[in-house]
Amino acid sequence: MDPNDLGYTPVLSVRGSFRVDASTLGMVADETLQSMRQTLLAVDLVKRTEIESDGAPAIVQLIEMDATIDGSRFDLYQAQVFQAIVDSEFPWKRIILVFAVTCKFAQWPVVGSEFRDFLAEARIVPGAEEMLAAARD
């Protein structure tokens, strides 16, 4: 089945931000949910998993949402992966990367599998630690 045959083209997004506050990764994920709830018809957190790591903790969450796009209503899934790259010297300084994919419910078996494959191959560029050190100065 071609995922694009269902009237909605799946969207992959990658964004990042530099944080120097005391917010936990869970709090950052909650901020994203709150923002979505202010603009979409319905947003429900289906599942959240925390992955512990000293240098790169992560949160994976699956969200169900209803959205109206160009006058058409869509029932969508969004998978989000929040990953923190933590400064080893100053742990409150970190880069937060957010990988997300959005698709219709019926597209999830194909798109979700492709997203997992993408994440398995995604690598942080060399020099991330140097970026944090430069921001420290």
Side-chain angles (χ1 to χ4, degrees), residues 33 36-38 40-45 63-66:
L33 281 172
M36 293 172 73
R37 287 181 173 133
Q38 291 175 1
L40 297 171
L41 300 174
V43 176
D44 293 311
L45 178 62
I63 298 165
E64 290 181 355
M65 58 188 172
D66 294 337

Side-chain angles (χ1 to χ4, degrees), residues 60-82:
V60 179
Q61 58 186 23
L62 181 62
I63 298 165
E64 290 181 355
M65 58 188 172
D66 294 337
T68 300
I69 303 168
D70 295 332
S72 297
R73 187 176 169 278
F74 294 96
D75 296 322
L76 304 172
Y77 271 146
Q78 185 174 83
Q80 300 174 337
V81 178
F82 294 80

